[in-house]
Structures are given as structure tokens and as C-alpha cells.
Amino acid sequence: MTEDLTKLICKDLPKGTPALTPGEIEADLGQLHPDWQAVGDRLTRRFAVKGYPAAHMLANAAAFLAEREGHHPDISFGWGWCEVTWWTHTVGGLSVNDFICAAKLDALVAG
């Protein structure tokens, strides 16, 4: 059984820590909203929202979550959309931290 990603906390991953394997990425994607896409070394979701203020609020919520977890994504937004992209520089790809943050953002948006 896979552990609930929303219950985990991001950990420091020193340089040299291996990135997730394709099988691990696929398993973790199964716990996320289907709009998340793992392409190359990035995990991205584009959220559709109503208007600019909602996009700005979602970007702020993602930034707040990132600061709390100590794991920071790229965030971009405009009228009606907000895009969040996670990856882990020190591992040169995707780590469990990326999926933890994506799952917590999903829970925040759904709640």
C-alpha cells in the first residue's frame, strides 16, 4: 500500500540523492489529480480558475505551501489560470518532495 503523500513532510535531499525511477513516478502520479503531468524532470499542473484574483490567490496559496514545506516550485499565472511546476534541483529530477507538495496543493484546492 502506498503511503498518503499529504501526511508526509518534505525532507532535505542532498546532492547525489537519486531521482525517482519511472515506476516510482507512475505510482506517485496515481495519488494526484489527473491534471498533473510528469514530463522529463518536471511535475506540472495548470489550474483553470475564474478570473485574475482567483489565479493570484492560488499562486499565493502555492507559495505559502512551498515556504511551509521548504520546497519551492515555479509558479506562473494570468487571467483564469495558474500553473505550478515542481522538481528537485539537488537530485536532478523528480523526488518524493515534488509529489508531497503536489498532493498537498491538490488537497488545499479541493478543500
Side-chain angles (χ1 to χ4, degrees):
M1 178 164 163
T2 306
E3 196 166 3
D4 181 352
L5 292 168
T6 63
K7 305 290 185 211
L8 302 178
I9 298 170
C10 290
K11 294 184 171 91
D12 183 44
L13 299 173
K15 194 169 185 75
T17 301
L20 295 177
T21 66
E24 291 168 324
I25 291 168
E26 193 64 34
D28 286 344
L29 271 173
Q31 292 193 58
L32 302 179
H33 187 281
D35 287 348
W36 285 102
Q37 295 186 15
V39 178
D41 62 353
R42 304 284 196 268
L43 180 63
T44 301
R45 180 175 174 190
R46 187 177 180 106
F47 297 84
V49 296
K50 293 185 180 190
Y52 189 82
H56 189 227
M57 287 190 307
L58 181 54
N60 282 338
F64 177 82
L65 169 68
E67 191 61 24
R68 188 178 69 197
E69 291 295 324
H71 190 63
H72 303 94
D74 282 348
I75 302 169
S76 55
F77 66 95
W79 196 97
W81 64 274
C82 179
E83 187 170 280
V84 180
T85 300
W86 303 95
W87 79 98
T88 305
H89 302 274
T90 57
V91 306
L94 292 172
S95 76
V96 68
N97 289 349
D98 303 308
F99 288 90
I100 290 169
C101 290
K104 288 183 177 186
L105 186 57
D106 281 349
L108 183 66
V109 170

